[in-house]
Amino acid sequence: MSELNLRRLRYFLAVADTLNFGRAAERLHIAEPVLSRQIALLESELGVTLFVRSSRGTSLTDAGRLVQEDAASLLQSADALRKRARSAALGVDRLALGFMPGLMVTPIVQGLRQSFPGIELQLVRTGWDDQVDTILDGRVDLGLVRLPVPERGLQVEPLFAENRVAVLSTAHPLAAAATLNIAALAESELLQSPDAAPEWREARRRLDLPVAMNSDHPRDVEIKLERVAASSGVVFLPASTARFYTRPDVVVRAVAGLEPSRVAVARRTGHSSRVLLEAVALAHALRASLTTERVLDEDGPRGSR
């Protein structure tokens, strides 16, 4: 296979997003025949058919869907490489920091700006599905991640642990309880991946209840909470995340038998610089300030109900 052409990947994503060569060509400000030719060349490079064009319209093939999943992160990684190279050429210190919901990188940012005046900092909000990918593909230099994560290719250093809690609708039959146990919640529908709550899965199996294998789980905390508020289901979140997203139609409850959420700092194996090492040191030194739980406690009883 010849070297992959990143420009053609951008063209491909435009067509994949619109499923219309004409609209994609307008978005890219090129002629439609030129776009069609570039897509044909990309298909030749990859050795696969990416689109099916018929009288009913344009659709992605199985190979096209796979390329769509990977192309965006590949292009983002290429952009990250360009930025790092340009910063290095200009002698500018630069660092991209990733963080999961409920975690804060502001103390690290403040410390880095004191140590490296003029530093370029980029903040990247990550989720369960991409907290590792963004580090491995170069979009993030240092990430505050929630364990467990696959550690191949990563250098991971634990920072702290925080309690996890259950979030239920105010109309849930168990909403009035002050504290809950995992067995009681096992009878409720889980509105997130069972992989995120193995204790719920095991308790449900002990009760001979089915464990749904539906993979259509929302990635964003906001959408998870919308589903909670609208149903009798439950999600389990780190305490800082749950309190940060406080809303009047849900309640947060402590749960006996629920393992804590462990937070770590992660970077690519072999990736090192004076800025990166300073950021790692700051993460360890300031770990008590890296969760919104601490900030909310200082502000008052917001979200405790």
Side-chain angles (χ1 to χ4, degrees):
M1 185 178 73
S2 61
E3 294 182 4
L4 196 59
N5 187 299
L6 296 181
R7 182 184 60 181
R8 289 176 189 146
L9 277 182
R10 290 190 174 89
Y11 289 173
F12 162 79
L13 283 179
V15 180
D17 288 343
T18 61
L19 291 179
N20 185 289
F21 276 76
R23 287 200 297 271
E26 290 178 3
R27 177 190 295 184
L28 296 165
H29 304 292
I30 62 175
E32 185 175 344
V34 174
L35 176 59
S36 296
R37 175 60 179 163
Q38 292 299 312
I39 295 300
L41 288 172
L42 178 61
E43 290 177 324
S44 178
E45 289 177 348
L46 296 174
V48 298
T49 299
L50 299 172
F51 297 101
V52 175
R53 301 174 76 172
S54 68
S55 58
R56 294 189 299 272
T58 301
S59 61
L60 283 162
T61 63
D62 290 340
R65 282 187 285 272
L66 181 84
V67 173
Q68 185 183 29
E69 291 176 3
D70 294 340
S73 61
L74 180 59
L75 290 172
Q76 288 170 332
S77 180
D79 288 339
L81 175 61
R82 290 191 192 95
K83 291 177 182 177
R84 289 197 302 271
R86 289 168 183 167
S87 296
L90 294 172
V92 176
D93 293 310
R94 180 184 179 278
L95 195 74
L97 291 168
F99 61 100
M100 288 282 285
L103 302 178
M104 300 177 62
V105 292
T106 304
I108 299 175
V109 168
Q110 293 170 338
L112 288 174
R113 284 179 172 158
Q114 288 180 356
S115 300
F116 303 96
I119 188 173
E120 291 183 0
L121 292 169
Q122 180 183 6
L123 305 184
V124 181
R125 184 181 182 275
T126 61
W128 281 108
D129 295 330
D130 65 359
Q131 62 173 343
V132 169
D133 291 343
T134 53
I135 299 172
L136 293 177
D137 67 21
R139 283 176 282 165
V140 165
D141 298 302
L142 187 69
L144 293 182
V145 301
R146 293 194 183 275
L147 302 178
V149 297
E151 296 191 16
R152 184 177 181 180
L154 294 179
Q155 185 170 341
V156 180
E157 301 176 28
L159 293 177
F160 59 88
E162 64 171 320
N163 290 331
R164 283 193 298 156
V165 296
V167 184
L168 308 90
S169 164
T170 53
H172 193 285
L174 297 175
T179 59
L180 298 167
N181 59 59
I182 196 68
L185 289 169
E187 297 183 7
S188 297
E189 179 186 2
L190 185 65
L191 301 176
Q192 65 192 130
S193 170
D195 291 339
E199 302 91 345
W200 174 91
R201 179 168 50 199
E202 293 307 311
R204 195 161 175 92
R205 285 172 176 166
R206 287 194 295 269
L207 295 173
D208 291 325
L209 295 172
V211 177
M213 299 307 293
N214 180 13
S215 60
D216 183 26
H217 301 292
R219 299 180 182 182
D220 297 333
V221 176
E222 297 91 334
I223 299 177
K224 286 186 176 76
L225 295 182
E226 286 293 335
R227 291 191 177 184
V228 168
S231 75
S232 58
V234 60
V235 298
F236 300 102
L237 298 175
S240 60
T241 306
R243 294 188 66 188
F244 184 79
Y245 287 98
T246 296
R247 48 188 290 169
D249 49 3
V250 302
V251 295
V252 176
R253 294 289 178 260
V255 182
L258 196 61
E259 290 295 317
S261 170
R262 294 175 295 132
V263 175
V265 63
R267 65 185 189 271
R268 294 191 307 283
T269 300
H271 183 40
S272 182
S273 69
R274 58 175 190 155
V275 174
L276 182 58
L277 293 178
E278 177 65 13
V280 172
L282 286 167
H284 284 283
L286 302 171
R287 60 184 180 272
S289 303
L290 301 180
T291 166
T292 55
E293 183 78 358
R294 173 71 175 271
V295 174
L296 292 175
D297 284 343
E298 292 174 352
D299 287 344
R302 173 188 170 190
S304 57
R305 50 164 66 87

